[in-house]
Amino acid sequence: MENYIVEMRHITKRFPGIIANDDVSIGIRPGEVFALLGENGAGKSTLMSMLFGMYTPDLGEIYVKGEKVEFRSSNDATAHSIGMVHQHFKLVDNYTIAENIVLGVEPMGKKLGFLPAVNMKQANREIAQLSKDYGLEVNPTDLIENVPVSVRQRVEILKMLYRKAEIMIFDEPTAVLTPSEIEFLLKIIDGLRNAGKTIILITHKIEEIKQIADRCAILCRGRLVDIMDVKTASVQEMANMMVGREVDFHRHKSEAHFGKEVLEVKDLTVLNENHFPVVKKVSFSIHAGEIFAIAGVSGNGQTEIADAVTGLAAASEGQVLLNGKDITHAPIRTRAQEGISYIPEDRQSTGVVMDFSLSDNLALRRYTKEPYSRKGILNFGEFSKNAEEMITRYDIRSGQGAKTIVRSMSGGNQQKAIIGREIEEHSDLIIFVQPTRGLDIGAIENVHRQILEERERGAAILLISLELSEVMELADTIGVIFSGELLKTAPAGSMTRNEVGRYMMGVKEA
Ligand SMILES: Nc1ncnc2c1ncn2[C@@H]1O[C@H](COP(=O)(O)OP(=O)(O)OP(=O)(O)O)[C@@H](O)[C@H]1O
Ligand SMILES: [Mg+2]
């Protein structure tokens, strides 16, 4: 018998209408990086939520270091040296990094001789030391609200280390990071393994698995398909196995036929809340049938451009024209009606209504129109008909189909729903911000195909993506943004990937 540090045996977990995990058995070796790969909704987060004590399995057993455990809460899991970094971090904004880390396990000092008080000095020292030992580079006294996402994630890692976790679960940690931050995180994970920790890593990016993992379990619709040795498996093999068919990594793009100018942005300047310009005199235009991609490192003003076009942010200077009409100061709703669709970056707060059904969410853009409503009376039959069609076309998977409450859906499937809803409007201008973040490779293939179809239909497409490969595959025209300025705008074919990468770093003449 193998000496596993964690063993999950015959785990089954049902939710209304769906078996999220169906008789799954995995064993994790001490000190390995064990990856979990599977389509959106395959059951990865559910399986790990059970190991972390947030759900209890309907059937099956969990063993930690040979001992059978029955966790009632994540505190039980923490007591068994298990830690987890969730995709949505759980930190208190106006606390310092150290305060967040000790929250719940505060070291006590003596105050006035008898009143216990938190000994923050000691905590700060310990945390600074842990940060140094594992190359995490955080400053314990910084406030959470002042540090970027990548640092918050490292605070979550420190939280696990501070609680002496030996088994660390990461649920899609790289989905929120830029390429250089991903490299940094993978180094940290490697360091954790070298220090003897056991890592479980959920990710959709097979290259990351190739780079860092020892073994990889593949889940498909709740079932375990295989556990592979990463060294001997190819990317294509892993991809095919998880999707259950041959995955096509090649994009079939027809020749460009540009029509009339749909969007024109002239000398656009956008200020942030501190009245500092984050978009500086940016000008570009997009034609019917053109994909204009803005490439750039995160935080260089690209989302603010999208927000200014849709009306979520105000332009302090310049003009935005849609089909020749000045919409610079038009209300958001008017712009949508005039023909703008928007797939925003933060889908959970601006993309969907989490406590509405899938069917209602899919009708959000059209419920005021016939046949969805007539004279103010909603026609729910049409709502579900619409939902059923879109569920098939966009492969939206959930427990109860159209009736499913969106909150209970897997992250990737929530996203497919928003993308489908916005594409179906067949607007003149479609803005995609990070459209494939968090999607599995099969779903990415599907979304890319839909984007190219919309281009062929004659839509003007603004694509904002941190994934350089996505930009290179889809764009007709690339604008590279750096520090709020479009440094270079050129036909996609005229620049190499490396040139685009150099402009992204602010090098003016590549
Ligand atoms: N609390 C819940 N209530 C009802 N259904 C749920 C709940 N949590 C998960 N599910 C369902 O279980 C299935 C598996 O979801 P899970 O979140 O584990 O998928 P995943 O593999 O992590 O997907 P993704 O890559 O999109 O994050 C999904 O169909 C989801 O709708
Ligand atoms: Mg998940």
Side-chain angles (χ1 to χ4, degrees), residues 113-163:
F114 57 94
L115 278 176
V118 177
N119 186 344
M120 278 316 295
K121 264 210 190 105
Q122 182 197 331
N124 283 340
R125 261 200 316 275
E126 281 175 25
I127 290 161
Q129 188 61 43
L130 278 175
S131 166
K132 202 160 147 251
D133 291 348
Y134 291 92
L136 291 167
E137 296 182 11
V138 311
N139 176 15
T141 52
D142 285 350
L143 285 179
I144 286 294
E145 61 193 4
N146 295 334
V147 302
V149 170
S150 55
V151 175
R152 292 176 197 212
Q153 185 175 60
R154 284 182 248 145
V155 173
E156 293 281 5
I157 299 176
L158 275 170
K159 232 166 129 176
M160 296 193 289
L161 287 167
Y162 192 78
R163 287 161 178 70

Short mmCIF file of all heavy atoms in Angstrom, two decimals, residues 113-163:
data_model
loop_
_atom_site.label_atom_id
_atom_site.label_comp_id
_atom_site.label_asym_id
_atom_site.label_seq_id
_atom_site.Cartn_x
_atom_site.Cartn_y
_atom_site.Cartn_z
N GLY A 113 -0.93 43.70 33.24
CA GLY A 113 -0.74 42.60 34.17
C GLY A 113 -1.76 41.49 34.07
O GLY A 113 -1.44 40.35 34.30
N PHE A 114 -3.00 41.79 33.70
CA PHE A 114 -3.97 40.69 33.70
C PHE A 114 -4.83 40.61 32.43
O PHE A 114 -5.28 39.55 32.05
CB PHE A 114 -4.89 40.76 34.93
CG PHE A 114 -5.64 42.07 35.05
CD1 PHE A 114 -6.93 42.17 34.53
CD2 PHE A 114 -5.07 43.16 35.67
CE1 PHE A 114 -7.62 43.35 34.62
CE2 PHE A 114 -5.77 44.35 35.77
CZ PHE A 114 -7.05 44.46 35.24
N LEU A 115 -5.07 41.75 31.71
CA LEU A 115 -5.91 41.68 30.52
C LEU A 115 -5.12 41.13 29.34
O LEU A 115 -4.07 41.66 29.00
CB LEU A 115 -6.43 43.07 30.15
CG LEU A 115 -7.64 43.57 30.92
CD1 LEU A 115 -7.95 45.01 30.50
CD2 LEU A 115 -8.84 42.68 30.67
N PRO A 116 -5.61 40.09 28.71
CA PRO A 116 -4.90 39.57 27.54
C PRO A 116 -5.06 40.54 26.36
O PRO A 116 -6.09 41.16 26.20
CB PRO A 116 -5.59 38.25 27.24
CG PRO A 116 -6.95 38.39 27.83
CD PRO A 116 -6.85 39.34 28.98
N ALA A 117 -4.04 40.71 25.59
CA ALA A 117 -4.13 41.55 24.39
C ALA A 117 -3.32 40.91 23.28
O ALA A 117 -2.40 40.14 23.54
CB ALA A 117 -3.57 42.94 24.69
N VAL A 118 -3.72 41.22 22.08
CA VAL A 118 -3.01 40.64 20.94
C VAL A 118 -1.61 41.21 20.88
O VAL A 118 -1.41 42.41 20.96
CB VAL A 118 -3.77 40.97 19.65
CG1 VAL A 118 -3.01 40.43 18.46
CG2 VAL A 118 -5.17 40.40 19.70
N ASN A 119 -0.63 40.33 20.79
CA ASN A 119 0.75 40.79 20.69
C ASN A 119 1.12 40.94 19.21
O ASN A 119 1.66 40.03 18.60
CB ASN A 119 1.66 39.78 21.39
CG ASN A 119 3.09 40.29 21.46
OD1 ASN A 119 3.45 41.22 20.74
ND2 ASN A 119 3.88 39.69 22.32
N MET A 120 0.81 42.15 18.66
CA MET A 120 1.02 42.34 17.23
C MET A 120 2.49 42.47 16.87
O MET A 120 2.89 42.14 15.77
CB MET A 120 0.25 43.58 16.74
CG MET A 120 -1.22 43.34 16.44
SD MET A 120 -1.62 41.83 15.51
CE MET A 120 -0.85 42.14 13.94
N LYS A 121 3.29 42.98 17.83
CA LYS A 121 4.72 43.12 17.54
C LYS A 121 5.33 41.78 17.20
O LYS A 121 6.03 41.61 16.22
CB LYS A 121 5.44 43.71 18.76
CG LYS A 121 5.62 45.21 18.66
CD LYS A 121 6.89 45.66 19.40
CE LYS A 121 6.90 47.16 19.49
NZ LYS A 121 6.56 47.64 20.85
N GLN A 122 4.99 40.81 18.06
CA GLN A 122 5.52 39.47 17.87
C GLN A 122 5.00 38.88 16.55
O GLN A 122 5.75 38.27 15.78
CB GLN A 122 5.09 38.59 19.05
CG GLN A 122 5.63 37.18 18.99
CD GLN A 122 4.83 36.27 19.93
OE1 GLN A 122 4.31 36.71 20.94
NE2 GLN A 122 4.73 35.00 19.58
N ALA A 123 3.71 39.09 16.28
CA ALA A 123 3.11 38.58 15.04
C ALA A 123 3.80 39.18 13.84
O ALA A 123 4.16 38.47 12.90
CB ALA A 123 1.62 38.87 15.01
N ASN A 124 4.01 40.50 13.85
CA ASN A 124 4.69 41.15 12.73
C ASN A 124 6.05 40.53 12.47
O ASN A 124 6.44 40.29 11.32
CB ASN A 124 4.86 42.65 13.01
CG ASN A 124 3.57 43.43 12.81
OD1 ASN A 124 2.66 42.95 12.13
ND2 ASN A 124 3.48 44.58 13.41
N ARG A 125 6.79 40.27 13.56
CA ARG A 125 8.12 39.68 13.43
C ARG A 125 8.04 38.30 12.80
O ARG A 125 8.75 37.98 11.85
CB ARG A 125 8.79 39.57 14.80
CG ARG A 125 9.78 40.69 15.10
CD ARG A 125 10.75 40.29 16.22
NE ARG A 125 10.12 39.63 17.35
CZ ARG A 125 9.56 40.27 18.38
NH1 ARG A 125 9.54 41.59 18.41
NH2 ARG A 125 9.01 39.61 19.38
N GLU A 126 7.14 37.48 13.33
CA GLU A 126 7.02 36.10 12.83
C GLU A 126 6.62 36.09 11.35
O GLU A 126 7.14 35.31 10.55
CB GLU A 126 5.94 35.34 13.62
CG GLU A 126 6.44 34.85 14.96
CD GLU A 126 5.30 34.22 15.77
OE1 GLU A 126 4.32 33.74 15.16
OE2 GLU A 126 5.41 34.22 16.99
N ILE A 127 5.69 36.97 11.00
CA ILE A 127 5.19 37.00 9.62
C ILE A 127 6.28 37.49 8.67
O ILE A 127 6.46 36.94 7.57
CB ILE A 127 3.91 37.84 9.53
CG1 ILE A 127 2.78 37.08 10.23
CG2 ILE A 127 3.53 38.15 8.10
CD1 ILE A 127 1.61 37.92 10.63
N ALA A 128 7.03 38.51 9.10
CA ALA A 128 8.14 38.99 8.26
C ALA A 128 9.13 37.85 8.01
O ALA A 128 9.64 37.67 6.90
CB ALA A 128 8.83 40.17 8.93
N GLN A 129 9.37 37.04 9.04
CA GLN A 129 10.31 35.92 8.91
C GLN A 129 9.77 34.87 7.93
O GLN A 129 10.49 34.43 7.03
CB GLN A 129 10.58 35.29 10.28
CG GLN A 129 11.69 34.25 10.27
CD GLN A 129 13.04 34.84 9.83
OE1 GLN A 129 13.42 35.93 10.27
NE2 GLN A 129 13.76 34.13 8.96
N LEU A 130 8.49 34.49 8.08
CA LEU A 130 7.89 33.51 7.17
C LEU A 130 7.94 34.03 5.74
O LEU A 130 8.25 33.28 4.80
CB LEU A 130 6.42 33.28 7.55
CG LEU A 130 6.13 32.30 8.68
CD1 LEU A 130 4.62 32.29 8.97
CD2 LEU A 130 6.58 30.89 8.30
N SER A 131 7.62 35.31 5.58
CA SER A 131 7.62 35.91 4.25
C SER A 131 9.00 35.80 3.62
O SER A 131 9.15 35.49 2.44
CB SER A 131 7.19 37.37 4.36
OG SER A 131 7.47 38.06 3.18
N LYS A 132 10.03 36.00 4.44
CA LYS A 132 11.40 35.92 3.96
C LYS A 132 11.76 34.48 3.62
O LYS A 132 12.30 34.20 2.55
CB LYS A 132 12.33 36.47 5.05
CG LYS A 132 13.66 36.93 4.52
CD LYS A 132 14.35 37.87 5.49
CE LYS A 132 15.85 37.68 5.40
NZ LYS A 132 16.41 37.03 6.59
N ASP A 133 11.42 33.56 4.52
CA ASP A 133 11.77 32.15 4.32
C ASP A 133 11.22 31.60 3.01
O ASP A 133 11.85 30.76 2.37
CB ASP A 133 11.21 31.30 5.47
CG ASP A 133 11.93 31.58 6.78
OD1 ASP A 133 12.98 32.25 6.73
OD2 ASP A 133 11.43 31.15 7.84
N TYR A 134 10.00 32.03 2.63
CA TYR A 134 9.37 31.46 1.45
C TYR A 134 9.39 32.41 0.25
O TYR A 134 8.68 32.19 -0.73
CB TYR A 134 7.94 31.02 1.78
CG TYR A 134 7.92 29.84 2.72
CD1 TYR A 134 7.84 30.02 4.09
CD2 TYR A 134 8.00 28.54 2.22
CE1 TYR A 134 7.84 28.93 4.97
CE2 TYR A 134 7.99 27.44 3.08
CZ TYR A 134 7.92 27.66 4.45
OH TYR A 134 7.91 26.57 5.29
N GLY A 135 10.16 33.49 0.34
CA GLY A 135 10.28 34.42 -0.80
C GLY A 135 8.98 35.10 -1.17
O GLY A 135 8.71 35.34 -2.35
N LEU A 136 8.14 35.41 -0.18
CA LEU A 136 6.81 35.94 -0.49
C LEU A 136 6.80 37.46 -0.65
O LEU A 136 5.87 38.02 -1.23
CB LEU A 136 5.81 35.52 0.59
CG LEU A 136 5.51 34.02 0.59
CD1 LEU A 136 4.79 33.61 1.87
CD2 LEU A 136 4.66 33.65 -0.61
N GLU A 137 7.80 38.14 -0.11
CA GLU A 137 7.94 39.58 -0.31
C GLU A 137 6.70 40.38 0.06
O GLU A 137 6.17 41.14 -0.74
CB GLU A 137 8.34 39.89 -1.76
CG GLU A 137 9.71 39.31 -2.11
CD GLU A 137 10.15 39.66 -3.54
OE1 GLU A 137 9.50 40.50 -4.17
OE2 GLU A 137 11.15 39.07 -3.97
N VAL A 138 6.20 40.19 1.28
CA VAL A 138 5.13 41.08 1.73
C VAL A 138 5.58 41.85 2.97
O VAL A 138 6.43 41.40 3.73
CB VAL A 138 3.80 40.35 2.06
CG1 VAL A 138 3.39 39.40 0.96
CG2 VAL A 138 3.89 39.62 3.39
N ASN A 139 4.98 43.02 3.13
CA ASN A 139 5.28 43.85 4.29
C ASN A 139 4.11 43.76 5.28
O ASN A 139 3.01 44.24 4.99
CB ASN A 139 5.49 45.29 3.82
CG ASN A 139 5.73 46.23 4.98
OD1 ASN A 139 6.00 45.78 6.10
ND2 ASN A 139 5.60 47.51 4.73
N PRO A 140 4.33 43.13 6.45
CA PRO A 140 3.22 42.81 7.37
C PRO A 140 2.39 44.01 7.79
O PRO A 140 1.21 43.86 8.12
CB PRO A 140 3.93 42.22 8.60
CG PRO A 140 5.28 41.84 8.14
CD PRO A 140 5.62 42.69 6.96
N THR A 141 2.95 45.21 7.77
CA THR A 141 2.19 46.36 8.28
C THR A 141 1.42 47.12 7.19
O THR A 141 0.71 48.07 7.48
CB THR A 141 3.13 47.34 9.02
OG1 THR A 141 4.22 47.66 8.16
CG2 THR A 141 3.66 46.72 10.30
N ASP A 142 1.53 46.69 5.92
CA ASP A 142 0.72 47.32 4.86
C ASP A 142 -0.76 47.00 5.05
O ASP A 142 -1.11 45.91 5.51
CB ASP A 142 1.13 46.78 3.47
CG ASP A 142 2.45 47.35 3.00
OD1 ASP A 142 2.95 48.29 3.65
OD2 ASP A 142 2.97 46.86 1.99
N LEU A 143 -1.62 47.94 4.67
CA LEU A 143 -3.05 47.67 4.70
C LEU A 143 -3.45 46.86 3.46
O LEU A 143 -2.95 47.12 2.37
CB LEU A 143 -3.84 48.98 4.68
CG LEU A 143 -3.90 49.80 5.97
CD1 LEU A 143 -4.72 51.06 5.74
CD2 LEU A 143 -4.52 48.96 7.09
N ILE A 144 -4.36 45.91 3.65
CA ILE A 144 -4.81 45.09 2.52
C ILE A 144 -5.33 45.95 1.37
O ILE A 144 -5.03 45.71 0.21
CB ILE A 144 -5.90 44.09 2.98
CG1 ILE A 144 -5.28 42.97 3.80
CG2 ILE A 144 -6.66 43.50 1.79
CD1 ILE A 144 -4.36 42.05 3.04
N GLU A 145 -6.11 47.00 1.70
CA GLU A 145 -6.71 47.81 0.62
C GLU A 145 -5.67 48.49 -0.26
O GLU A 145 -5.97 48.90 -1.37
CB GLU A 145 -7.69 48.83 1.19
CG GLU A 145 -7.06 49.82 2.15
CD GLU A 145 -8.13 50.61 2.93
OE1 GLU A 145 -9.32 50.32 2.78
OE2 GLU A 145 -7.73 51.51 3.69
N ASN A 146 -4.42 48.59 0.24
CA ASN A 146 -3.39 49.26 -0.55
C ASN A 146 -2.51 48.31 -1.35
O ASN A 146 -1.56 48.75 -1.99
CB ASN A 146 -2.48 50.09 0.36
CG ASN A 146 -3.25 51.22 1.01
OD1 ASN A 146 -4.25 51.68 0.46
ND2 ASN A 146 -2.81 51.65 2.18
N VAL A 147 -2.78 47.02 -1.29
CA VAL A 147 -1.89 46.09 -2.01
C VAL A 147 -2.63 45.40 -3.14
O VAL A 147 -3.84 45.17 -3.06
CB VAL A 147 -1.24 45.04 -1.06
CG1 VAL A 147 -0.47 45.73 0.05
CG2 VAL A 147 -2.27 44.09 -0.51
N PRO A 148 -1.92 45.07 -4.25
CA PRO A 148 -2.58 44.46 -5.40
C PRO A 148 -2.97 43.00 -5.15
O PRO A 148 -2.56 42.39 -4.16
CB PRO A 148 -1.51 44.54 -6.50
CG PRO A 148 -0.22 44.62 -5.79
CD PRO A 148 -0.50 45.32 -4.49
N VAL A 149 -3.75 42.48 -6.10
CA VAL A 149 -4.27 41.10 -6.02
C VAL A 149 -3.17 40.07 -5.77
O VAL A 149 -3.33 39.17 -4.96
CB VAL A 149 -4.98 40.76 -7.35
CG1 VAL A 149 -5.33 39.28 -7.42
CG2 VAL A 149 -6.23 41.59 -7.50
N SER A 150 -2.02 40.24 -6.47
CA SER A 150 -0.97 39.24 -6.34
C SER A 150 -0.45 39.18 -4.91
O SER A 150 -0.13 38.11 -4.39
CB SER A 150 0.17 39.54 -7.31
OG SER A 150 0.64 40.86 -7.11
N VAL A 151 -0.38 40.34 -4.25
CA VAL A 151 0.10 40.36 -2.86
C VAL A 151 -0.97 39.77 -1.93
O VAL A 151 -0.67 39.01 -1.01
CB VAL A 151 0.47 41.80 -2.43
CG1 VAL A 151 0.84 41.84 -0.96
CG2 VAL A 151 1.61 42.33 -3.28
N ARG A 152 -2.24 40.07 -2.21
CA ARG A 152 -3.32 39.50 -1.38
C ARG A 152 -3.27 37.98 -1.41
O ARG A 152 -3.48 37.31 -0.41
CB ARG A 152 -4.69 39.95 -1.89
CG ARG A 152 -4.89 41.42 -1.66
CD ARG A 152 -6.19 41.89 -2.25
NE ARG A 152 -6.12 43.35 -2.34
CZ ARG A 152 -7.15 44.16 -2.23
NH1 ARG A 152 -8.35 43.65 -2.04
NH2 ARG A 152 -6.99 45.45 -2.32
N GLN A 153 -2.97 37.47 -2.59
CA GLN A 153 -2.88 36.02 -2.71
C GLN A 153 -1.74 35.48 -1.84
O GLN A 153 -1.87 34.45 -1.19
CB GLN A 153 -2.63 35.67 -4.16
CG GLN A 153 -2.63 34.20 -4.44
CD GLN A 153 -2.50 33.97 -5.93
OE1 GLN A 153 -1.52 34.37 -6.54
NE2 GLN A 153 -3.50 33.35 -6.53
N ARG A 154 -0.63 36.22 -1.81
CA ARG A 154 0.50 35.77 -0.99
C ARG A 154 0.15 35.88 0.50
O ARG A 154 0.67 35.12 1.31
CB ARG A 154 1.75 36.56 -1.34
CG ARG A 154 2.34 36.08 -2.66
CD ARG A 154 3.60 36.83 -3.00
NE ARG A 154 3.39 37.68 -4.17
CZ ARG A 154 3.95 38.87 -4.33
NH1 ARG A 154 4.74 39.36 -3.41
NH2 ARG A 154 3.73 39.56 -5.43
N VAL A 155 -0.72 36.82 0.84
CA VAL A 155 -1.19 36.91 2.22
C VAL A 155 -1.97 35.64 2.58
O VAL A 155 -1.82 35.08 3.67
CB VAL A 155 -2.06 38.17 2.43
CG1 VAL A 155 -2.69 38.17 3.82
CG2 VAL A 155 -1.24 39.43 2.21
N GLU A 156 -2.77 35.16 1.62
CA GLU A 156 -3.51 33.92 1.85
C GLU A 156 -2.54 32.74 2.06
O GLU A 156 -2.79 31.84 2.85
CB GLU A 156 -4.45 33.62 0.69
CG GLU A 156 -5.60 34.61 0.54
CD GLU A 156 -6.75 34.35 1.51
OE1 GLU A 156 -6.61 33.47 2.38
OE2 GLU A 156 -7.77 35.07 1.42
N ILE A 157 -1.43 32.76 1.32
CA ILE A 157 -0.44 31.70 1.49
C ILE A 157 0.19 31.80 2.88
O ILE A 157 0.35 30.80 3.59
CB ILE A 157 0.66 31.78 0.39
CG1 ILE A 157 0.02 31.60 -0.99
CG2 ILE A 157 1.75 30.73 0.63
CD1 ILE A 157 0.99 31.77 -2.16
N LEU A 158 0.49 33.04 3.30
CA LEU A 158 1.07 33.24 4.64
C LEU A 158 0.11 32.79 5.73
O LEU A 158 0.52 32.25 6.76
CB LEU A 158 1.41 34.71 4.84
CG LEU A 158 2.76 35.15 4.30
CD1 LEU A 158 2.88 36.66 4.33
CD2 LEU A 158 3.90 34.51 5.13
N LYS A 159 -1.17 33.03 5.49
CA LYS A 159 -2.19 32.61 6.45
C LYS A 159 -2.10 31.09 6.67
O LYS A 159 -2.17 30.62 7.80
CB LYS A 159 -3.57 32.95 5.86
CG LYS A 159 -4.45 33.73 6.79
CD LYS A 159 -5.62 34.29 6.00
CE LYS A 159 -6.93 33.97 6.66
NZ LYS A 159 -8.06 34.61 5.93
N MET A 160 -1.91 30.36 5.57
CA MET A 160 -1.79 28.90 5.69
C MET A 160 -0.51 28.54 6.43
O MET A 160 -0.51 27.66 7.30
CB MET A 160 -1.77 28.24 4.31
CG MET A 160 -3.03 28.40 3.51
SD MET A 160 -3.07 27.28 2.08
CE MET A 160 -1.85 27.97 1.00
N LEU A 161 0.59 29.23 6.08
CA LEU A 161 1.87 28.91 6.72
C LEU A 161 1.81 29.21 8.21
O LEU A 161 2.31 28.44 9.03
CB LEU A 161 3.00 29.72 6.07
CG LEU A 161 3.41 29.29 4.67
CD1 LEU A 161 4.29 30.35 4.02
CD2 LEU A 161 4.13 27.94 4.70
N TYR A 162 1.17 30.33 8.56
CA TYR A 162 1.08 30.75 9.95
C TYR A 162 0.29 29.73 10.77
O TYR A 162 0.54 29.52 11.95
CB TYR A 162 0.40 32.12 10.02
CG TYR A 162 0.50 32.79 11.37
CD1 TYR A 162 1.68 33.43 11.76
CD2 TYR A 162 -0.58 32.79 12.24
CE1 TYR A 162 1.78 34.04 12.99
CE2 TYR A 162 -0.49 33.41 13.48
CZ TYR A 162 0.69 34.03 13.85
OH TYR A 162 0.79 34.64 15.07
N ARG A 163 -0.68 29.08 10.09
CA ARG A 163 -1.48 28.04 10.77
C ARG A 163 -0.83 26.67 10.64
O ARG A 163 -1.47 25.65 10.88
CB ARG A 163 -2.89 28.03 10.20
CG ARG A 163 -3.71 29.21 10.66
CD ARG A 163 -4.92 29.46 9.78
NE ARG A 163 -5.71 30.58 10.26
CZ ARG A 163 -5.32 31.85 10.21
NH1 ARG A 163 -4.15 32.17 9.70
NH2 ARG A 163 -6.09 32.81 10.68
#
